[in-house]
Amino acid sequence: WSIEIVGRPANFVDVYSPEDLYPETLWQEAATYFASLSDSSMVLPGGRYSCAQVLVQRGLPFLAGLSLGQVCHIVQLAISQKKLLGYLNGTVVPYARSQSMVK
């Protein structure tokens, strides 16, 4: 569900959209970042929203200037299409350490 306010631009981000609107450099930098995470910092919260909040709080340069909704969408694409992130015991981790990779 969403609400649009009359007289304001519609800038809703559909986090379930399969459309990748982001530059390839963002994905390259994200891949490098997730591959470099230490064991202590690789575990992220299991939900897209919570995961996105943590990533924004980390001040990652490749996410600079993006809204929280856009980062949620990036998390979704990183899990569903890009295979940069996956799940392990209810948390989000780099794909190489996820249950999906093990299967």
Side-chain angles (χ1 to χ4, degrees):
W1 300 94
S2 68
I3 295 174
E4 291 187 23
I5 300 172
V6 177
R8 289 200 150 182
N11 57 2
F12 178 77
V13 177
D14 180 1
V15 298
Y16 296 108
S17 172
E19 187 175 1
D20 180 0
L21 305 171
Y22 309 100
E24 186 57 34
T25 55
L26 178 143
W27 295 114
Q28 291 167 354
E29 291 176 36
T32 300
Y33 173 75
F34 294 128
S36 73
L37 291 177
S38 66
D39 288 346
S40 62
S41 61
M42 75 168 195
V43 176
L44 298 163
R48 279 181 308 278
Y49 179 76
S50 298
C51 182
Q53 284 182 308
V54 169
L55 293 174
V56 168
Q57 289 170 357
R58 290 184 180 181
L60 303 171
F62 62 91
L63 299 177
L66 298 176
S67 70
L68 184 56
Q70 289 171 310
V71 178
C72 287
H73 187 221
I74 288 166
V75 169
Q76 173 66 21
L77 294 173
I79 293 169
S80 65
Q81 290 184 17
K82 301 293 185 174
K83 304 290 189 249
L84 296 179
L85 296 172
Y87 289 100
L88 179 65
N89 300 324
T91 63
V92 174
V93 295
Y95 186 78
R97 298 180 183 189
S98 70
Q99 289 169 329
S100 299
M101 179 67 176
V102 173
K103 290 181 181 180

